[in-house]
């Protein structure tokens, strides 16, 4: 295992490079089209509208802030014990995560959704490992570093969860696997219900309201896209998406209140990470 300073430097560099990569790819500077353009070729009932993918830019920005705050807290001039412990626990997992996301995006651009889904899964698992290692549900006290870790990792984890689900729906849409066209509706609804339950549960259990906020955003994007495709089943999915938007907002508020209660009840407690 490398030293905390070295790890924090590598984490910051690779997250910053991924921010640049996402900006270049999503704006068509590398492939002349964005990955959302590729996804649009295979419409499903749960694929969100193109504007929804702009969340990647915001996620990349807050991830850079979070990684910089960890880098800052490991330097000799202003060391922070808790930050150093977080970096040690994260180890190489964030680097693995960022590499997986970058590869996944490249594969998706080249219309290779099966391998892209594999690397998206690696990215999702690795960020969940990071959340577990730093015990993210306990990082409720007021500090710059903890705030941006919870904000960035919450948004990032939530979006990866939804991306995995609708990318799986795209694979079913593209290859069919013997499912009749009408069956795609049921596949999409089942995937939507599974990922929604998973996201809402993870949001509450890990005290990450931003995961529920991401579900609200994704459901809105899928609802908006559904209105642009006049299909009989779109109206039925639309009702489900509206219900999910309401439920996810409620869960986000309840989760925030739960986290705030933990923060108020132990205002001076120093949690050893």
């Amino acid at each position: 295992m490398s030293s905390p300073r070295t790890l924090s430097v590598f984490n910051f560099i690779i997250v910053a490079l991924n921010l640049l990569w996402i900006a270049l790819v999503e704006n068509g500077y590398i492939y002349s089209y964005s990955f959302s353009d590729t996804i649009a070729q295979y419409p499903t009932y749960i694929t969100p509208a193109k504007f929804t993918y702009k969340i990647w830019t915001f996620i990349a920005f807050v991830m850079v802030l979070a990684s910089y705050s960890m880098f800052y807290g490991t330097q000799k001039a202003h060391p922070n014990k808790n930050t150093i412990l977080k970096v040690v626990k994260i180890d190489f997992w964030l680097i693995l995560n960022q590499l997986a996301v970058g590869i996944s995006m490249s594969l998706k651009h080249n219309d290779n959704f099966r391998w892209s889904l594999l690397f998206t899964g690696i990215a999702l698992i690795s960020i969940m490992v990071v959340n577990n290692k730093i015990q993210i549900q306990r990082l409720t006290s007021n500090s710059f570093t903890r705030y941006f870790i919870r904000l960035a990792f919450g948004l990032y984890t939530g979006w990866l969860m939804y991306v995995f689900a609708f990318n799986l729906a795209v694979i079913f849409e593209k290859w069919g696997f013997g499912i009749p066209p009408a069956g795609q509706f049921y596949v999409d609804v089942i995937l939507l219900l599974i990922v929604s339950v998973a996201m809402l549960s993870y949001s509450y259990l890990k005290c990450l309201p931003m995961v529920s906020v991401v579900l609200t955003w994704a459901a809105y994007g899928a609802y908006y896209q559904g209105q642009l495709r006049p299909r009989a089943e779109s109206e039925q999915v639309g009702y489900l998406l509206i219900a999910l938007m309401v439920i996810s907002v409620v869960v986000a508020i309840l989760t925030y209140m739960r986290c705030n209660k933990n923060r108020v009840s132990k205002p001076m407690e120093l949690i050893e990470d």
Side-chain angles (χ1 to χ4, degrees):
M1 181 179 66
S2 302
S3 69
R5 292 191 187 92
T6 303
L7 281 171
S8 67
V9 169
F10 280 125
N11 285 339
F12 176 64
I13 290 175
I14 194 168
V15 171
L17 288 175
N18 241 14
L19 169 62
L20 178 62
W21 173 252
I22 290 171
L24 291 175
V25 169
E26 177 56 21
N27 289 284
Y29 291 115
I30 296 180
Y31 296 102
S32 75
Y33 57 91
S34 68
F35 58 84
S36 51
D37 291 327
T38 304
I39 294 172
Q41 298 177 43
Y42 310 103
T44 74
Y45 293 99
I46 63 175
T47 302
K50 189 174 180 179
F51 68 82
T52 318
Y53 301 96
K54 297 301 181 183
I55 193 176
W56 269 122
T57 302
F58 182 64
I59 289 173
F61 176 71
V62 293
M63 284 292 289
V64 168
L65 289 179
S67 60
Y68 176 77
S69 69
M70 288 187 284
F71 163 75
Y72 184 86
T74 59
Q75 302 311 297
K76 289 183 179 179
H78 28 67
N80 181 284
K81 179 182 178 182
N82 285 333
T83 300
I84 292 173
L85 287 172
K86 289 184 188 71
V87 173
V88 169
K89 287 189 174 185
I90 290 173
D91 201 8
F92 65 88
W93 285 99
L94 189 57
I95 296 173
L96 172 65
N97 171 271
Q98 293 296 293
L99 289 173
V101 167
I103 294 172
S104 173
M105 287 186 172
S106 297
L107 290 168
K108 199 174 301 178
H109 265 79
N110 290 282
D111 205 8
N112 195 331
F113 280 91
R114 290 181 179 179
W115 283 104
S116 175
L117 185 69
L118 171 64
F119 282 96
T120 300
I122 293 173
L124 177 57
I125 292 171
S126 57
I127 194 61
M128 286 182 167
V129 169
V130 169
N131 292 341
N132 286 336
K133 280 181 168 291
I134 63 175
Q135 297 179 292
I136 200 166
Q137 68 274 15
R138 300 178 65 192
L139 306 184
T140 56
S141 62
N142 292 311
S143 80
F144 179 86
T145 301
R146 293 185 178 193
Y147 174 79
F148 276 106
I149 287 177
R150 288 172 50 73
L151 173 64
F153 289 14
L155 285 169
Y156 187 38
T157 304
W159 186 242
L160 283 179
M161 292 176 79
Y162 194 84
V163 164
F164 186 86
F166 82 72
N167 279 5
L168 187 56
V170 167
I171 288 176
F172 276 101
E173 173 68 24
K174 183 177 180 180
W175 281 283
F177 301 110
I179 299 174
Q184 182 68 34
F185 168 77
Y186 297 102
V187 170
D188 291 355
V189 169
I190 291 171
L191 289 173
L192 179 61
L193 290 174
I194 291 174
V195 74
S196 297
V197 171
M199 291 177 71
L200 294 173
S201 300
Y202 193 85
S203 177
Y204 189 79
L205 293 174
K206 291 296 183 181
C207 212
L208 291 172
M210 296 312 297
V211 174
S212 294
V213 171
V214 168
L215 179 57
T216 306
W217 176 249
Y220 172 71
Y223 176 81
Y224 182 91
Q225 186 66 23
Q227 302 308 300
L228 302 178
R229 287 196 314 270
R231 298 160 75 176
E233 297 87 350
S234 294
E235 184 176 355
Q236 300 174 41
V237 178
Y239 292 134
L240 176 58
L241 290 168
I242 291 173
L244 286 175
M245 281 186 265
V246 174
I247 293 171
S248 57
V249 168
V250 172
V251 173
I253 294 172
L254 291 175
T255 303
Y256 176 80
M257 291 173 62
R258 177 172 176 246
C259 298
N260 194 55
K261 182 179 178 181
N262 292 341
R263 184 182 302 118
V264 172
S265 63
K266 297 179 285 188
M268 299 303 293
E269 180 183 2
L270 177 62
I271 298 178
E272 291 294 337
D273 301 322

